Amino acid sequence: MFVGILSVVSVLALTATARAPQETVTGSRKVTPEQFEQWKKDLNNWGRWGKDDEIGTMNFITPAKRKQAAALVKEGFSVSLAADVDTEKAVDNPQPYEHEMLGLGTDRIGVAFHGIAHTHLDSLAHINYDGVFYNGYKPDPEQIKKANGHAKNSIHNLKNGIFTRGILIDIPLMKGVKYLEPGTPIYVEDIEAWLKKAGLKIQPGDALFVRAGVWARRKELGPYLRGRTGKDAGLDPSVIPWLKKQDIALLAADHPQYVSPSTVVGAVHDFALVSLGIHLFDNCDLEALSAAAAARKRWEFLLTAAPLPIRGGTGSPLNPIATF
């Protein structure tokens, strides 16, 4: 019997023949820090499911929603949405996976999974505003260290897994490019244009996967610095009011959910977690999904995923699966 010891530390793109401009629309959508602060008050989901809620928009995934998602399986064809475990240090992977063989049939892996390199799921105990997490949870930092985990909002709340309808938002495919250049913003108009092209409507409880083509660009040009201190194509802060109205269960991308640089650093990522209570899949590899969906001209699928049941954890590495 093969035994694996796991230690986890919390800390085929479609190649277009013609390139098109990567700005779909014009005009200023600048979101000021002051406006962002006001949105925290006006657009949050705190208390929507009661003062003790810890799962936020996952409440939209009901038994009826799971049945609807199951009906999307027509072929039984599945594709992974995770990047391969990366053990090589690079500018965009400062904390690579550790993989050590302990014997002929035994190994150990370890990872500080948050950041821009590894596919993972953020819990609602990951990001805070001035020490306050989703739904007003404000823990004592010293107690968190002493208990080695959070008392609320942890990834353990999703132990029973994720089973819902997934939708791919393939912006590079719509624009006729292999990938978006770093720093390219994705606006509401881009998303809605894609949904119209794909013949899809977002429904409560859906999981949205936004592809910018990060892994296609990395494969072609090599590692590059992304995230808060680098340059990323991603969701513009101006999408936040639209996002609030959609009642999605999860948000996912091949990047950390936000455009960078930006007037509000990390805006969509942080707002989704703290204000809206939306769990996030970061750094998914959506290239195989893009190819599979385009081949079928079908951009909705059954999404399944299961994080590690880490009590008090701020997230988990995992391997989401799309099934057509």
Side-chain angles (χ1 to χ4, degrees):
M1 180 176 69
F2 291 93
V3 179
I5 302 174
L6 176 65
S7 64
V8 179
V9 184
S10 266
V11 178
L12 309 158
L14 289 178
T15 303
T17 56
R19 287 186 174 269
Q22 294 197 0
E23 288 285 346
T24 296
V25 287
T26 58
S28 175
R29 292 169 186 76
K30 182 178 179 180
V31 175
T32 65
E34 293 76 19
Q35 186 175 21
F36 186 73
E37 289 300 315
Q38 189 61 43
W39 283 350
K40 291 180 185 179
K41 301 175 183 177
D42 297 342
L43 301 178
N44 77 68
N45 278 331
W46 292 14
R48 185 172 180 177
W49 295 280
K51 63 182 179 62
D52 296 322
D53 177 61
E54 298 183 34
I55 63 171
T57 55
M58 285 293 293
N59 282 288
F60 289 124
I61 303 181
T62 62
K65 184 66 180 181
R66 294 186 183 96
K67 290 179 181 179
Q68 177 204 42
L72 293 172
V73 178
K74 309 298 183 183
E75 303 173 55
F77 176 83
S78 294
V79 60
S80 169
L81 310 181
D84 286 348
V85 165
D86 191 348
T87 59
E88 297 295 324
K89 194 168 186 177
V91 66
D92 57 357
N93 187 16
Q95 295 178 302
Y97 265 89
E98 300 170 5
H99 183 214
E100 176 188 7
M101 294 304 299
L102 302 177
L104 186 61
T106 305
D107 54 356
R108 181 193 70 83
I109 62 173
V111 62
F113 55 84
H114 288 301
I116 61 174
H118 311 302
T119 304
H120 65 275
L121 179 63
D122 288 338
S123 83
L124 302 184
H126 173 43
I127 294 292
N128 66 83
Y129 292 145
D130 298 322
V132 183
F133 295 80
Y134 167 72
N135 219 18
Y137 166 53
K138 188 176 183 179
D140 179 350
E142 291 303 315
Q143 182 59 33
I144 296 301
K145 292 180 182 178
K146 183 178 179 180
N148 197 36
H150 285 269
K152 299 182 69 174
N153 292 6
S154 86
I155 199 65
H156 194 268
N157 289 319
L158 273 57
K159 178 181 178 179
N160 292 328
I162 297 164
F163 191 103
T164 193
R165 178 188 186 225
I167 292 179
L168 175 63
I169 310 294
D170 201 334
I171 302 301
L173 179 61
M174 182 180 72
K175 295 190 175 188
V177 296
K178 292 183 290 185
Y179 47 79
L180 302 184
E181 291 297 338
T184 302
I186 297 172
Y187 297 114
V188 171
E189 290 89 341
D190 296 314
I191 300 172
E192 291 184 338
W194 168 259
L195 292 171
K196 182 177 181 180
K197 175 183 175 68
L200 294 173
K201 291 185 178 180
I202 296 172
Q203 300 169 0
D206 286 347
L208 297 191
F209 285 77
V210 182
R211 177 176 173 261
V214 167
W215 297 100
R217 187 182 192 277
R218 191 180 193 272
K219 182 178 181 180
E220 181 176 304
L221 301 177
Y224 63 102
L225 186 59
R226 303 184 297 281
R228 297 170 196 259
T229 59
K231 292 188 72 175
D232 249 322
L235 294 170
D236 187 77
S238 61
V239 308
I240 286 173
W242 176 90
L243 189 62
K244 169 68 165 67
K245 296 177 182 178
Q246 304 311 307
D247 285 345
I248 62 171
L250 299 122
L251 181 62
D254 52 6
H255 52 282
Q257 319 293 340
Y258 53 83
V259 66
S260 180
S262 172
T263 54
V264 183
V265 178
V268 176
H269 177 278
D270 296 357
F271 197 92
L273 287 169
V274 182
S275 297
L276 299 182
I278 300 176
H279 290 75
L280 303 177
F281 289 102
D282 288 344
N283 313 316
C284 295
D285 186 341
L286 302 179
E287 298 311 297
L289 176 62
S290 175
R296 291 162 175 77
K297 298 190 183 303
R298 187 173 167 224
W299 289 272
E300 61 177 346
F301 49 88
L302 167 64
L303 169 70
T304 53
L308 297 171
I310 307 166
R311 292 190 180 277
T314 64
S316 171
L318 79 177
N319 180 21
I321 303 293
T323 302
F324 291 90

